[in-house]
Amino acid sequence: MPVILFSLLALLGIAVGPAHAAEPQPWQMGFQPAATPVMERLESFNTFLSWVISLIAIFVLLLLVYVCYRFAAKRHPTPSRRTHNTLLEIAWTTVPVLILVVIAIPSFKLLYYQDVVPDAQLTLKAIGHQWYWSYEYPDNGDFTFDANLVADADLKPGQPRLLTTDNTVVVPVDTTVRLLTTATDVIHSWAVPSFGVKIDAIPGRINESWFRILRPGIYYGQCSELCGDLHGFMPIMVKAVPKDEFKTWVEQAKKQFAQSGTIDLARR
């Protein structure tokens, strides 16, 4: 019964979650609204799995109720001595295998869709430090900047606590962004729930992912790998803007931020 209740609540949470939320909401049970094609597919696959889990749980519950009723001592005083039923044993072996195949096919397709980076129009490099992120734009002048947490005392109205950074990652909408991650000290993880992206940043190596934001807005995430004392204070703040506005921002950013003095691991 708890499994059925959990599954139904999960489905309800998906259905009634706050619209266009780019950050966690009080009492939220489902996902943040999808901002990328990857997250749309993840959300759809999760809904599909929730229905499968719920139907299995309901079937098992009904079967248990039937067995308890049918074989109660007062209705079945003499227990059966049967030990095997070939047809039943074939069924309870074959049916779970078929269910797993039905689950595996869309799962593998989704993994392939996430893992293969399409032709990108923009490269963004995220570098994890204890305890902040820095970003490089190798395709747009190779400038770099750090993004640190904004202290509670410095927050402006409307800025969420523990999610706001002093410098914001800006990317254009409707553009395939190639995301490269690495770190300088320990393992971090760059994660933005509404993008469907969660990828480790590992010292000495480059990991790769991608996203394509469908609509303008500000999207928040956090480091999702336990990386030390201030792990909970490494927010990610991404602002998606129209392409013309992004070009204007790039020209301003080139002047505002110094040229990258770090080794460009993306071009090794």
Side-chain angles (χ1 to χ4, degrees):
M1 193 66 179
V3 175
I4 300 173
L5 181 60
F6 177 81
S7 301
L8 292 176
L9 288 176
L11 289 172
L12 181 61
I14 293 171
V16 301
H20 305 296
E23 61 187 270
Q25 300 295 319
W27 296 97
Q28 182 176 357
M29 297 183 65
F31 295 114
Q32 297 178 25
T36 67
V38 170
M39 190 57 202
E40 286 182 341
R41 296 193 182 200
L42 284 169
E43 197 170 37
S44 176
F45 184 60
N46 176 79
T47 302
F48 167 69
L49 285 183
S50 296
W51 279 110
V52 172
I53 292 170
S54 299
L55 292 174
I56 292 173
I58 291 171
F59 172 75
V60 172
L61 175 63
L62 294 176
L63 193 61
L64 287 173
V65 171
Y66 170 77
V67 169
C68 291
Y69 175 81
R70 174 67 178 79
F71 297 102
K74 62 181 180 180
R75 296 184 182 86
H76 202 75
T78 304
S80 173
R81 299 298 179 180
R82 185 186 301 271
T83 58
H84 294 284
N85 185 308
T86 302
L87 182 61
L88 185 59
E89 291 179 3
I90 292 175
W92 71 43
T93 301
T94 305
V95 172
V97 170
L98 294 176
I99 293 174
L100 290 177
V101 170
V102 170
I103 293 174
I105 292 174
S107 175
F108 290 150
K109 291 174 65 176
L110 178 57
L111 285 172
Y112 182 82
Y113 184 73
Q114 286 182 274
D115 213 33
V116 177
V117 179
D119 292 337
Q121 291 86 49
L122 174 67
T123 299
L124 173 67
K125 182 179 175 185
I127 306 169
H129 310 271
Q130 289 183 313
W131 288 272
Y132 64 95
W133 293 96
S134 61
Y135 297 93
E136 294 181 8
Y137 286 74
D139 297 339
N140 301 92
D142 204 26
F143 60 89
T144 184
F145 60 86
D146 298 334
N148 292 280
L149 173 72
V150 174
D152 292 357
D154 299 325
L155 289 174
K156 298 178 181 178
Q159 291 183 328
R161 177 178 175 270
L162 298 182
L163 292 175
T164 303
T165 58
D166 54 357
N167 291 313
T168 306
V169 178
V170 179
V171 295
V173 297
D174 199 26
T175 301
T176 300
V177 180
R178 177 174 175 245
L179 174 66
L180 305 176
T181 61
T182 188
T184 59
D185 34 50
V186 298
I187 297 176
H188 301 276
S189 183
W190 199 90
V192 179
S194 56
F195 292 178
V197 173
K198 182 180 183 295
I199 182 170
D200 283 347
I202 302 174
R205 64 178 296 177
I206 292 288
N207 282 337
E208 182 182 51
S209 186
W210 70 283
F211 57 87
R212 185 183 185 90
I213 304 176
L214 302 175
R215 56 183 178 272
I218 299 179
Y219 304 92
Y220 297 93
Q222 291 178 301
C223 176
S224 296
E225 186 71 50
L226 188 58
C227 59
D229 186 31
L230 300 180
H231 158 69
F233 301 88
M234 281 186 66
I236 299 164
M237 184 175 176
V238 181
K239 183 177 181 180
V241 299
K243 294 180 181 180
D244 291 342
E245 187 175 335
F246 174 74
K247 292 178 181 178
T248 302
W249 176 84
V250 166
E251 295 305 317
Q252 295 174 348
K254 288 178 182 178
K255 300 175 183 178
Q256 180 180 358
F257 304 115
Q259 291 291 89
S260 173
T262 60
I263 299 176
D264 191 356
L265 297 177
R267 297 184 179 178
R268 282 187 173 183

PDB file of all heavy atoms in Angstrom, residues 122 170-175 213-219 239-250:
ATOM      1  N   LEU A 122      27.714  26.599 -29.211  1.00  0.00           N
ATOM      2  CA  LEU A 122      28.379  27.311 -28.116  1.00  0.00           C
ATOM      3  C   LEU A 122      29.007  26.308 -27.172  1.00  0.00           C
ATOM      4  O   LEU A 122      28.417  25.263 -26.882  1.00  0.00           O
ATOM      5  CB  LEU A 122      27.366  28.189 -27.360  1.00  0.00           C
ATOM      6  CG  LEU A 122      27.857  28.893 -26.094  1.00  0.00           C
ATOM      7  CD1 LEU A 122      28.905  29.946 -26.454  1.00  0.00           C
ATOM      8  CD2 LEU A 122      26.701  29.525 -25.332  1.00  0.00           C
ATOM      9  N   VAL A 170      25.442  33.220 -18.639  1.00  0.00           N
ATOM     10  CA  VAL A 170      24.463  33.667 -19.634  1.00  0.00           C
ATOM     11  C   VAL A 170      24.636  32.833 -20.897  1.00  0.00           C
ATOM     12  O   VAL A 170      25.757  32.671 -21.403  1.00  0.00           O
ATOM     13  CB  VAL A 170      24.627  35.167 -19.957  1.00  0.00           C
ATOM     14  CG1 VAL A 170      23.610  35.608 -21.014  1.00  0.00           C
ATOM     15  CG2 VAL A 170      24.468  35.999 -18.683  1.00  0.00           C
ATOM     16  N   VAL A 171      23.544  32.298 -21.399  1.00  0.00           N
ATOM     17  CA  VAL A 171      23.561  31.506 -22.635  1.00  0.00           C
ATOM     18  C   VAL A 171      22.348  31.893 -23.475  1.00  0.00           C
ATOM     19  O   VAL A 171      21.333  32.343 -22.934  1.00  0.00           O
ATOM     20  CB  VAL A 171      23.539  29.983 -22.352  1.00  0.00           C
ATOM     21  CG1 VAL A 171      24.812  29.543 -21.638  1.00  0.00           C
ATOM     22  CG2 VAL A 171      22.321  29.602 -21.537  1.00  0.00           C
ATOM     23  N   PRO A 172      22.434  31.717 -24.782  1.00  0.00           N
ATOM     24  CA  PRO A 172      21.283  32.036 -25.639  1.00  0.00           C
ATOM     25  C   PRO A 172      20.271  30.891 -25.667  1.00  0.00           C
ATOM     26  O   PRO A 172      20.622  29.720 -25.532  1.00  0.00           O
ATOM     27  CB  PRO A 172      21.924  32.231 -27.018  1.00  0.00           C
ATOM     28  CG  PRO A 172      23.149  31.371 -26.982  1.00  0.00           C
ATOM     29  CD  PRO A 172      23.634  31.381 -25.562  1.00  0.00           C
ATOM     30  N   VAL A 173      18.999  31.228 -25.840  1.00  0.00           N
ATOM     31  CA  VAL A 173      17.960  30.213 -25.970  1.00  0.00           C
ATOM     32  C   VAL A 173      18.030  29.579 -27.354  1.00  0.00           C
ATOM     33  O   VAL A 173      18.633  30.130 -28.287  1.00  0.00           O
ATOM     34  CB  VAL A 173      16.552  30.813 -25.731  1.00  0.00           C
ATOM     35  CG1 VAL A 173      16.434  31.328 -24.310  1.00  0.00           C
ATOM     36  CG2 VAL A 173      16.268  31.924 -26.738  1.00  0.00           C
ATOM     37  N   ASP A 174      17.418  28.424 -27.471  1.00  0.00           N
ATOM     38  CA  ASP A 174      17.328  27.713 -28.745  1.00  0.00           C
ATOM     39  C   ASP A 174      18.708  27.525 -29.381  1.00  0.00           C
ATOM     40  O   ASP A 174      18.874  27.655 -30.592  1.00  0.00           O
ATOM     41  CB  ASP A 174      16.388  28.460 -29.701  1.00  0.00           C
ATOM     42  CG  ASP A 174      15.907  27.551 -30.839  1.00  0.00           C
ATOM     43  OD1 ASP A 174      15.878  26.333 -30.643  1.00  0.00           O
ATOM     44  OD2 ASP A 174      15.599  28.084 -31.930  1.00  0.00           O
ATOM     45  N   THR A 175      19.691  27.232 -28.530  1.00  0.00           N
ATOM     46  CA  THR A 175      21.070  27.031 -28.973  1.00  0.00           C
ATOM     47  C   THR A 175      21.634  25.804 -28.278  1.00  0.00           C
ATOM     48  O   THR A 175      21.521  25.672 -27.052  1.00  0.00           O
ATOM     49  CB  THR A 175      21.944  28.256 -28.635  1.00  0.00           C
ATOM     50  OG1 THR A 175      21.403  29.417 -29.275  1.00  0.00           O
ATOM     51  CG2 THR A 175      23.378  28.051 -29.082  1.00  0.00           C
ATOM     52  N   ILE A 213      18.283  25.188 -24.114  1.00  0.00           N
ATOM     53  CA  ILE A 213      17.215  25.816 -23.344  1.00  0.00           C
ATOM     54  C   ILE A 213      16.126  26.317 -24.287  1.00  0.00           C
ATOM     55  O   ILE A 213      16.399  26.993 -25.281  1.00  0.00           O
ATOM     56  CB  ILE A 213      17.773  26.968 -22.491  1.00  0.00           C
ATOM     57  CG1 ILE A 213      18.904  26.449 -21.588  1.00  0.00           C
ATOM     58  CG2 ILE A 213      16.678  27.599 -21.651  1.00  0.00           C
ATOM     59  CD1 ILE A 213      19.585  27.518 -20.779  1.00  0.00           C
ATOM     60  N   LEU A 214      14.892  25.981 -23.951  1.00  0.00           N
ATOM     61  CA  LEU A 214      13.771  26.251 -24.850  1.00  0.00           C
ATOM     62  C   LEU A 214      13.171  27.636 -24.679  1.00  0.00           C
ATOM     63  O   LEU A 214      12.557  28.158 -25.616  1.00  0.00           O
ATOM     64  CB  LEU A 214      12.680  25.187 -24.644  1.00  0.00           C
ATOM     65  CG  LEU A 214      13.121  23.741 -24.866  1.00  0.00           C
ATOM     66  CD1 LEU A 214      11.993  22.779 -24.514  1.00  0.00           C
ATOM     67  CD2 LEU A 214      13.566  23.543 -26.313  1.00  0.00           C
ATOM     68  N   ARG A 215      13.297  28.230 -23.500  1.00  0.00           N
ATOM     69  CA  ARG A 215      12.669  29.531 -23.271  1.00  0.00           C
ATOM     70  C   ARG A 215      13.528  30.370 -22.321  1.00  0.00           C
ATOM     71  O   ARG A 215      14.251  29.838 -21.478  1.00  0.00           O
ATOM     72  CB  ARG A 215      11.271  29.363 -22.688  1.00  0.00           C
ATOM     73  CG  ARG A 215      11.228  28.548 -21.408  1.00  0.00           C
ATOM     74  CD  ARG A 215       9.805  28.353 -20.921  1.00  0.00           C
ATOM     75  NE  ARG A 215       9.779  27.524 -19.722  1.00  0.00           N
ATOM     76  CZ  ARG A 215       9.714  26.209 -19.732  1.00  0.00           C
ATOM     77  NH1 ARG A 215       9.663  25.557 -20.886  1.00  0.00           N
ATOM     78  NH2 ARG A 215       9.681  25.516 -18.607  1.00  0.00           N
ATOM     79  N   PRO A 216      13.448  31.704 -22.456  1.00  0.00           N
ATOM     80  CA  PRO A 216      14.244  32.575 -21.583  1.00  0.00           C
ATOM     81  C   PRO A 216      13.839  32.414 -20.120  1.00  0.00           C
ATOM     82  O   PRO A 216      12.718  32.033 -19.794  1.00  0.00           O
ATOM     83  CB  PRO A 216      13.909  33.979 -22.097  1.00  0.00           C
ATOM     84  CG  PRO A 216      13.376  33.782 -23.476  1.00  0.00           C
ATOM     85  CD  PRO A 216      12.672  32.457 -23.463  1.00  0.00           C
ATOM     86  N   GLY A 217      14.778  32.717 -19.255  1.00  0.00           N
ATOM     87  CA  GLY A 217      14.510  32.643 -17.825  1.00  0.00           C
ATOM     88  C   GLY A 217      15.796  32.451 -17.048  1.00  0.00           C
ATOM     89  O   GLY A 217      16.891  32.360 -17.622  1.00  0.00           O
ATOM     90  N   ILE A 218      15.666  32.411 -15.736  1.00  0.00           N
ATOM     91  CA  ILE A 218      16.805  32.160 -14.849  1.00  0.00           C
ATOM     92  C   ILE A 218      16.604  30.795 -14.213  1.00  0.00           C
ATOM     93  O   ILE A 218      15.547  30.515 -13.645  1.00  0.00           O
ATOM     94  CB  ILE A 218      16.940  33.253 -13.780  1.00  0.00           C
ATOM     95  CG1 ILE A 218      17.180  34.613 -14.440  1.00  0.00           C
ATOM     96  CG2 ILE A 218      18.088  32.928 -12.826  1.00  0.00           C
ATOM     97  CD1 ILE A 218      17.294  35.766 -13.466  1.00  0.00           C
ATOM     98  N   TYR A 219      17.620  29.957 -14.313  1.00  0.00           N
ATOM     99  CA  TYR A 219      17.544  28.581 -13.839  1.00  0.00           C
ATOM    100  C   TYR A 219      18.643  28.345 -12.817  1.00  0.00           C
ATOM    101  O   TYR A 219      19.778  28.809 -12.980  1.00  0.00           O
ATOM    102  CB  TYR A 219      17.672  27.614 -15.015  1.00  0.00           C
ATOM    103  CG  TYR A 219      16.645  27.865 -16.088  1.00  0.00           C
ATOM    104  CD1 TYR A 219      16.915  28.716 -17.159  1.00  0.00           C
ATOM    105  CD2 TYR A 219      15.391  27.283 -16.024  1.00  0.00           C
ATOM    106  CE1 TYR A 219      15.964  28.967 -18.134  1.00  0.00           C
ATOM    107  CE2 TYR A 219      14.425  27.527 -16.991  1.00  0.00           C
ATOM    108  CZ  TYR A 219      14.727  28.369 -18.049  1.00  0.00           C
ATOM    109  OH  TYR A 219      13.779  28.622 -19.005  1.00  0.00           O
ATOM    110  N   LYS A 239      21.306  32.158 -16.789  1.00  0.00           N
ATOM    111  CA  LYS A 239      20.306  33.046 -17.372  1.00  0.00           C
ATOM    112  C   LYS A 239      20.243  32.792 -18.879  1.00  0.00           C
ATOM    113  O   LYS A 239      21.258  32.924 -19.583  1.00  0.00           O
ATOM    114  CB  LYS A 239      20.656  34.510 -17.102  1.00  0.00           C
ATOM    115  CG  LYS A 239      19.610  35.495 -17.612  1.00  0.00           C
ATOM    116  CD  LYS A 239      19.986  36.927 -17.255  1.00  0.00           C
ATOM    117  CE  LYS A 239      18.919  37.909 -17.742  1.00  0.00           C
ATOM    118  NZ  LYS A 239      19.272  39.315 -17.403  1.00  0.00           N
ATOM    119  N   ALA A 240      19.082  32.412 -19.360  1.00  0.00           N
ATOM    120  CA  ALA A 240      18.877  32.186 -20.792  1.00  0.00           C
ATOM    121  C   ALA A 240      18.223  33.415 -21.405  1.00  0.00           C
ATOM    122  O   ALA A 240      17.195  33.888 -20.906  1.00  0.00           O
ATOM    123  CB  ALA A 240      18.002  30.955 -21.014  1.00  0.00           C
ATOM    124  N   VAL A 241      18.828  33.932 -22.450  1.00  0.00           N
ATOM    125  CA  VAL A 241      18.360  35.179 -23.068  1.00  0.00           C
ATOM    126  C   VAL A 241      18.251  34.977 -24.579  1.00  0.00           C
ATOM    127  O   VAL A 241      18.824  34.040 -25.139  1.00  0.00           O
ATOM    128  CB  VAL A 241      19.330  36.345 -22.757  1.00  0.00           C
ATOM    129  CG1 VAL A 241      19.419  36.590 -21.255  1.00  0.00           C
ATOM    130  CG2 VAL A 241      20.721  36.057 -23.325  1.00  0.00           C
ATOM    131  N   PRO A 242      17.525  35.859 -25.273  1.00  0.00           N
ATOM    132  CA  PRO A 242      17.501  35.795 -26.741  1.00  0.00           C
ATOM    133  C   PRO A 242      18.898  35.951 -27.325  1.00  0.00           C
ATOM    134  O   PRO A 242      19.803  36.515 -26.690  1.00  0.00           O
ATOM    135  CB  PRO A 242      16.593  36.969 -27.125  1.00  0.00           C
ATOM    136  CG  PRO A 242      15.735  37.187 -25.914  1.00  0.00           C
ATOM    137  CD  PRO A 242      16.597  36.872 -24.735  1.00  0.00           C
ATOM    138  N   LYS A 243      19.087  35.463 -28.544  1.00  0.00           N
ATOM    139  CA  LYS A 243      20.420  35.431 -29.148  1.00  0.00           C
ATOM    140  C   LYS A 243      21.023  36.824 -29.315  1.00  0.00           C
ATOM    141  O   LYS A 243      22.233  37.011 -29.105  1.00  0.00           O
ATOM    142  CB  LYS A 243      20.350  34.705 -30.489  1.00  0.00           C
ATOM    143  CG  LYS A 243      19.997  33.234 -30.357  1.00  0.00           C
ATOM    144  CD  LYS A 243      19.941  32.532 -31.705  1.00  0.00           C
ATOM    145  CE  LYS A 243      19.568  31.056 -31.534  1.00  0.00           C
ATOM    146  NZ  LYS A 243      19.513  30.330 -32.818  1.00  0.00           N
ATOM    147  N   ASP A 244      20.224  37.809 -29.693  1.00  0.00           N
ATOM    148  CA  ASP A 244      20.742  39.173 -29.853  1.00  0.00           C
ATOM    149  C   ASP A 244      21.223  39.722 -28.519  1.00  0.00           C
ATOM    150  O   ASP A 244      22.275  40.380 -28.446  1.00  0.00           O
ATOM    151  CB  ASP A 244      19.673  40.088 -30.448  1.00  0.00           C
ATOM    152  CG  ASP A 244      19.366  39.742 -31.899  1.00  0.00           C
ATOM    153  OD1 ASP A 244      20.197  39.058 -32.533  1.00  0.00           O
ATOM    154  OD2 ASP A 244      18.289  40.143 -32.387  1.00  0.00           O
ATOM    155  N   GLU A 245      20.453  39.449 -27.472  1.00  0.00           N
ATOM    156  CA  GLU A 245      20.844  39.918 -26.140  1.00  0.00           C
ATOM    157  C   GLU A 245      22.119  39.212 -25.671  1.00  0.00           C
ATOM    158  O   GLU A 245      22.956  39.808 -24.992  1.00  0.00           O
ATOM    159  CB  GLU A 245      19.704  39.673 -25.157  1.00  0.00           C
ATOM    160  CG  GLU A 245      19.931  40.266 -23.786  1.00  0.00           C
ATOM    161  CD  GLU A 245      18.735  40.099 -22.869  1.00  0.00           C
ATOM    162  OE1 GLU A 245      17.610  39.965 -23.393  1.00  0.00           O
ATOM    163  OE2 GLU A 245      18.930  40.092 -21.629  1.00  0.00           O
ATOM    164  N   PHE A 246      22.280  37.958 -26.048  1.00  0.00           N
ATOM    165  CA  PHE A 246      23.503  37.239 -25.676  1.00  0.00           C
ATOM    166  C   PHE A 246      24.727  37.858 -26.342  1.00  0.00           C
ATOM    167  O   PHE A 246      25.789  38.009 -25.714  1.00  0.00           O
ATOM    168  CB  PHE A 246      23.379  35.767 -26.068  1.00  0.00           C
ATOM    169  CG  PHE A 246      24.645  34.977 -25.857  1.00  0.00           C
ATOM    170  CD1 PHE A 246      25.054  34.620 -24.575  1.00  0.00           C
ATOM    171  CD2 PHE A 246      25.433  34.598 -26.937  1.00  0.00           C
ATOM    172  CE1 PHE A 246      26.237  33.903 -24.383  1.00  0.00           C
ATOM    173  CE2 PHE A 246      26.603  33.877 -26.747  1.00  0.00           C
ATOM    174  CZ  PHE A 246      26.998  33.529 -25.466  1.00  0.00           C
ATOM    175  N   LYS A 247      24.611  38.215 -27.612  1.00  0.00           N
ATOM    176  CA  LYS A 247      25.732  38.842 -28.305  1.00  0.00           C
ATOM    177  C   LYS A 247      26.137  40.150 -27.629  1.00  0.00           C
ATOM    178  O   LYS A 247      27.329  40.450 -27.482  1.00  0.00           O
ATOM    179  CB  LYS A 247      25.360  39.092 -29.768  1.00  0.00           C
ATOM    180  CG  LYS A 247      25.190  37.824 -30.589  1.00  0.00           C
ATOM    181  CD  LYS A 247      24.785  38.148 -32.025  1.00  0.00           C
ATOM    182  CE  LYS A 247      24.587  36.872 -32.835  1.00  0.00           C
ATOM    183  NZ  LYS A 247      24.151  37.172 -34.236  1.00  0.00           N
ATOM    184  N   THR A 248      25.148  40.925 -27.207  1.00  0.00           N
ATOM    185  CA  THR A 248      25.445  42.170 -26.504  1.00  0.00           C
ATOM    186  C   THR A 248      26.147  41.889 -25.184  1.00  0.00           C
ATOM    187  O   THR A 248      27.120  42.562 -24.816  1.00  0.00           O
ATOM    188  CB  THR A 248      24.144  42.954 -26.252  1.00  0.00           C
ATOM    189  OG1 THR A 248      23.492  43.212 -27.487  1.00  0.00           O
ATOM    190  CG2 THR A 248      24.430  44.258 -25.528  1.00  0.00           C
ATOM    191  N   TRP A 249      25.666  40.866 -24.464  1.00  0.00           N
ATOM    192  CA  TRP A 249      26.286  40.508 -23.182  1.00  0.00           C
ATOM    193  C   TRP A 249      27.729  40.058 -23.374  1.00  0.00           C
ATOM    194  O   TRP A 249      28.608  40.392 -22.576  1.00  0.00           O
ATOM    195  CB  TRP A 249      25.485  39.398 -22.507  1.00  0.00           C
ATOM    196  CG  TRP A 249      26.124  38.923 -21.231  1.00  0.00           C
ATOM    197  CD1 TRP A 249      26.008  39.478 -19.991  1.00  0.00           C
ATOM    198  CD2 TRP A 249      26.992  37.788 -21.080  1.00  0.00           C
ATOM    199  NE1 TRP A 249      26.750  38.770 -19.071  1.00  0.00           N
ATOM    200  CE2 TRP A 249      27.365  37.733 -19.717  1.00  0.00           C
ATOM    201  CE3 TRP A 249      27.485  36.831 -21.966  1.00  0.00           C
ATOM    202  CZ2 TRP A 249      28.220  36.739 -19.221  1.00  0.00           C
ATOM    203  CZ3 TRP A 249      28.332  35.852 -21.478  1.00  0.00           C
ATOM    204  CH2 TRP A 249      28.689  35.810 -20.125  1.00  0.00           C
ATOM    205  N   VAL A 250      28.003  39.305 -24.440  1.00  0.00           N
ATOM    206  CA  VAL A 250      29.367  38.835 -24.696  1.00  0.00           C
ATOM    207  C   VAL A 250      30.320  40.010 -24.873  1.00  0.00           C
ATOM    208  O   VAL A 250      31.431  40.015 -24.318  1.00  0.00           O
ATOM    209  CB  VAL A 250      29.404  37.924 -25.949  1.00  0.00           C
ATOM    210  CG1 VAL A 250      30.849  37.708 -26.417  1.00  0.00           C
ATOM    211  CG2 VAL A 250      28.763  36.579 -25.643  1.00  0.00           C
TER     212      VAL A 250
END
